[in-house]
Amino acid sequence: MTAPTARAGFDAALRLALTEARATAGSGDVPVGAVVLDGAGTVVGAGHNEREATGDPTAHAEVLALRAAAARVGSWRLSGHTLAVTLEPCTMCAGASVLARVDRIIYGVRDPKAGAVGSLWDVVRDRRLNHRPEVVPPDLVDAELAGACAALLTEFFTPRRFR
């Protein structure tokens, strides 16, 4: 796979995650979306934050997408799959990605307060673990797309910070 082709695939995956993030509109949940794609680029799992909607503290977009993918694939082992998410995964979601054995994590916005894929922690590249997925950070995706992921979060949080 050439670099431009890989980049196009990263961008396409992140666009799908962004569409999923928009599904949180009106729910009160932070607009984060995630998709899991198989080696051919087919979506096998998708999810968006549902913590507020369900009252489940583990209902993060990534966990829901990984659960859906595992159910569809028929195995918890998601080797050969890519997780694309609009916001850098937290420690729970980064850990779930490692445990699911995903090959790659693509994300659109760094999270300096809770990110566990390089910002605050780097769970997925910890050499003590038996699996380390490839990481595609925001600077390796289309800047306009990364900006759209950030704008969705800004639109959500701005009115809540100035109440």
Side-chain angles (χ1 to χ4, degrees):
M1 183 181 274
T2 64
T5 303
R7 167 98 182 247
F10 300 160
D11 293 348
L14 198 52
R15 273 188 199 84
L16 294 168
L18 187 57
T19 298
E20 191 66 32
R22 290 182 177 121
T24 63
S27 71
D29 276 293
V30 177
V32 176
V35 294
V36 177
L37 300 101
D38 66 14
T42 302
V43 175
V44 294
H48 53 270
N49 278 355
E50 295 183 10
R51 291 187 318 163
E52 299 296 333
T54 64
D56 179 355
T58 68
H60 288 208
E62 301 95 323
V63 170
L64 297 176
L66 290 167
R67 285 178 184 161
R72 182 161 177 195
V73 170
S75 174
W76 62 266
R77 290 179 184 90
L78 297 175
S79 300
H81 291 75
T82 296
L83 171 68
V85 59
T86 55
L87 178 65
E88 180 179 0
C90 68
T91 53
M92 176 181 68
C93 296
S97 300
V98 169
L99 294 173
R101 310 293 195 271
V102 297
D103 282 4
R104 177 181 301 113
I105 299 171
I106 302 166
Y107 66 97
V109 178
R110 294 184 196 283
D111 186 351
K113 293 183 179 179
V117 184
S119 290
L120 187 57
W121 296 286
D122 203 349
V123 170
V124 300
R125 288 180 278 214
D126 189 319
R127 294 202 179 278
R128 296 169 292 182
L129 299 176
N130 66 341
H131 179 74
R132 290 181 294 282
E134 172 190 0
V135 174
V136 179
D139 49 319
L140 295 181
V141 299
D142 178 71
E144 191 171 311
L145 185 56
C149 292
L152 196 57
L153 292 164
T154 299
E155 289 169 19
F156 177 81
F157 283 113
T158 298
R160 286 163 175 78
R161 288 185 178 135
F162 298 105
R163 282 187 181 174

